[in-house]
Amino acid sequence: MENKEIFATRLKKIRERLGITQFSFAAMVNSTAATISAYENATKNPSLENVINIAKKCEVSIDWLCGLSENEHIDNESVWSYADVIRFCYSDTEHINSPAKAIHEITSSFIKTMEKFSKESEHMEQLKRDGLIDQELYDLWVEKALEKYQTPIVLKYESKTVDAFTGDIFITRHYPGGGQAKHEIKHNKKPTTPAQE
């Protein structure tokens, strides 16, 4: 891998976002803590098999993980046509209970986001017309707005629950149309026991 530093940075970003140790992350991706540490410190190149495994388990793009793309999400989370939305909603029958409801949720979210951007855009255009900002500031706003909205149309979201006694982390992924999938990421904390009198 040409750029170990990008892989190292992005791997660490994923692990920290999950809020788990290198040991727990290693267990999640069928590796060792020493290997994950070496990857994060850019002292070891991962094999293609390990990169694929990490990308699948963490549901990120292999291209993003390796620094070939700025789009972190896997391709099927990016919607480019009406058919893509419909295809997605009908393809995952395990998690999407109602394709019609899922389509409605996705399109409603899209409309709200675009309406928000439209209002921001109208405001900035008015400031420019009134001479309160110049072209350079307007262009800077456009650049920042593009960064802000440079996320794919996300078709699922997740929430994290931590068991207060064991430290185990449960990730619940919610899908449009009412479905969800839950998986557990082990933390190696031992339950705390009350002190003996």
Side-chain angles (χ1 to χ4, degrees), residues 89-106:
C89 293
Y90 279 90
S91 66
D92 191 351
T93 55
E94 181 184 347
H95 298 108
I96 298 177
N97 302 336
S98 168
K101 184 177 175 188
I103 290 167
H104 176 74
E105 287 178 27
I106 292 163

Side-chain angles (χ1 to χ4, degrees), residues 126-145:
Q126 187 63 49
L127 290 176
K128 191 172 113 178
R129 279 193 299 273
D130 292 345
L132 297 172
I133 63 170
D134 62 11
Q135 185 65 43
E136 187 177 346
L137 274 176
Y138 181 79
D139 291 344
L140 182 62
W141 171 78
V142 170
E143 185 180 322
K144 292 293 181 187

Side-chain angles (χ1 to χ4, degrees), residues 59-72:
E59 295 189 335
V60 295
S61 159
I62 293 173
D63 286 350
W64 175 81
L65 195 56
C66 297
L68 302 173
S69 168
E70 292 306 310
N71 185 3
E72 181 177 348

Side-chain angles (χ1 to χ4, degrees), residues 156-168:
K156 54 191 175 186
Y157 64 93
E158 61 188 30
S159 56
K160 182 165 64 172
T161 308
V162 180
D163 185 314
F165 294 101
T166 65
D168 291 348

